Amino acid sequence: MERTFIAIKPDGVQRGLISEILSRFERKGFKLVAIKIVVPSKDFAQKHYHDLKERPFFNGLCGFLSSGPVVAMVWEGEGVIKYGRKLIGATDPQKSEPGTIRGDLAVVVGRNIIHGSDGPETAKDEIKLWFKPEELVKYTSNTEKWLYGVN
Ligand code: UDP
Ligand code: MG
């Protein structure tokens, strides 16, 4: 089953939006398979955002991600990578649709409260960077047969 890496950034944690964000993924029908709260080091943040290292905002972004607690998660489900990005909304909250997490809950691009993997390769790499294999919990959710219609 497909998996994605989702993180609530320090602004989302400080603003008390953890449960709001969790519930949007949970109610949709995605399955939480790993979760922890951590303060990443700046070096770790640079690894996470390595593909953006040439961008002018890279240093500020990594400084911000490592400035406080982050809720790191792995969510599982059919189409979760692409649909997770849909739930999150456009990078710039000014351009995110209402109804999306950033559209409803954030105002500026530098404080857009949440991260989500942008494709299958980054999902794999980010899950591996943030979690040990044994931190991913394998279980059958009671709702699966109702969500997917298979027995
Ligand atoms: N970012 C920023 N300024 C920009 C573009 C991006 O501060 O002009 C930050 C923003 O927090 C964004 C993160 O860098 O979430 C990573 O950028 P990316 O393009 O990967 O956006 P995302 O995948 O998070 O939507
Ligand atoms: Mg990205």
Side-chain angles (χ1 to χ4, degrees):
M1 187 59 96
E2 190 176 316
R3 288 172 170 175
T4 195
F5 174 72
I6 301 292
I8 305 174
K9 299 179 189 178
D11 48 345
V13 174
Q14 292 297 341
R15 289 181 51 212
L17 296 172
I18 297 171
S19 63
E20 167 74 36
I21 291 168
L22 282 175
S23 78
R24 291 184 182 218
F25 280 84
E26 196 176 35
R27 285 182 301 167
K28 168 70 176 168
F30 294 135
K31 180 161 86 175
L32 184 62
V33 297
I35 185 167
K36 62 184 168 188
I37 185 161
V38 284
V39 181
S41 66
K42 185 147 184 199
D43 180 63
F44 189 92
Q46 286 167 345
K47 278 192 188 122
H48 171 75
Y49 279 127
H50 65 91
D51 56 328
L52 298 173
K53 63 174 175 288
E54 307 301 337
R55 308 294 289 275
F57 55 83
F58 178 71
N59 190 49
L61 174 63
C62 295
F64 179 64
L65 193 74
S66 58
S67 70
V70 169
V71 175
M73 299 172 271
V74 178
W75 287 87
E76 192 178 280
E78 206 169 299
V80 70
I81 299 174
K82 221 174 172 175
Y83 207 89
R85 296 277 297 186
K86 254 188 184 171
L87 288 177
I88 289 170
T91 303
D92 180 354
Q94 297 286 338
K95 300 189 177 120
S96 315
E97 294 299 322
T100 65
I101 292 167
R102 287 169 174 164
D104 289 349
L105 305 169
V107 186
V108 297
V109 69
R111 296 293 182 272
N112 63 4
I113 71 170
I114 182 166
H115 167 84
S117 306
D118 62 9
E121 283 308 309
T122 40
K124 222 169 97 194
D125 292 349
E126 289 170 1
I127 291 168
K128 204 170 146 196
L129 176 66
W130 287 81
F131 289 97
K132 298 181 191 122
E134 62 268 28
E135 290 178 303
L136 304 183
V137 179
K138 228 183 161 136
Y139 65 103
T140 303
S141 159
N142 229 345
T143 63
E144 273 161 39
K145 62 175 185 274
W146 302 103
L147 279 167
Y148 294 104
V150 289
N151 290 300

